[in-house]
Amino acid sequence: LSPVIDVELNFVLSTFSGNKSITGAGAVAGLVAQVNLVSSGVFANSGAGGTIDTSLIDVTDSVFQGNLSQGAGGAALNASSQVLRVRGSTFSGNVSAGGGVILGQVLEITNSTVTGNSGPGAAVTATLGELVTTFSTVADNATGGGLSVPGNI
């Protein structure tokens, strides 16, 4: 059962840079929130749970670079209970102490690039086993693999 989304946060032409959190995400966190990020940059943020950590995430034409997750989550994105959609975006130079780069239950990645990231987990992990990638590149990551999907790709 998916949670009811309480809040929708829209960020267009925005920059998140140099933010730090010792208990949550470095840039944006919300238990039952939808985050829409369009044509934005997310640079050099650090947190216990990555950079953006919320229920539902939709990213379009954005760049995630040099972010750090000090916990088990993805260095860039963590979607805890619903679909995480990424379109036309780049993820590079992100580091996770306990996970990978992008972590979500159900992932849809289109026209995006995930390269040059590091961490013990796979670069991209779909925890519920559903991952759809279209015209995307996942390569040259120093992680526990490129893709981790317990079910279908």
Side-chain angles (χ1 to χ4, degrees):
L1 188 71
S2 297
V4 175
I5 301 298
D6 290 335
V7 177
E8 183 173 346
L9 304 170
N10 296 299
F11 301 100
V12 179
L13 297 171
S14 300
T15 300
F16 296 90
S17 181
N19 299 293
K20 294 179 172 71
S21 173
I22 58 171
T23 59
V28 179
L31 277 179
V32 247
Q34 175 174 342
V35 172
N36 302 309
L37 191 69
V38 180
S39 300
S40 296
V42 183
F43 308 105
N45 298 284
S46 65
T51 301
I52 297 178
D53 187 359
T54 187
S55 296
L56 178 62
I57 303 172
D58 196 315
V59 175
T60 305
D61 300 330
S62 296
V63 175
F64 288 76
Q65 188 171 28
N67 298 292
L68 169 66
S69 172
Q70 299 162 346
L77 300 172
N78 294 301
S80 57
S81 64
Q82 296 190 19
V83 176
L84 189 156
R85 290 182 183 91
V86 175
R87 290 178 296 280
S89 297
T90 300
F91 298 83
S92 65
N94 299 289
V95 177
S96 178
V101 180
I102 301 171
L103 174 67
Q105 291 188 355
V106 177
L107 303 177
E108 297 174 5
I109 302 175
T110 306
N111 294 326
S112 296
T113 302
V114 181
T115 60
N117 302 285
S118 61
V124 178
T125 301
T127 59
L128 282 185
E130 187 173 335
L131 169 62
V132 177
T133 60
T134 308
F135 301 112
S136 296
T137 300
V138 178
D140 299 323
N141 296 289
T143 58
L147 305 172
S148 174
V149 185
N152 301 314
I153 296 180

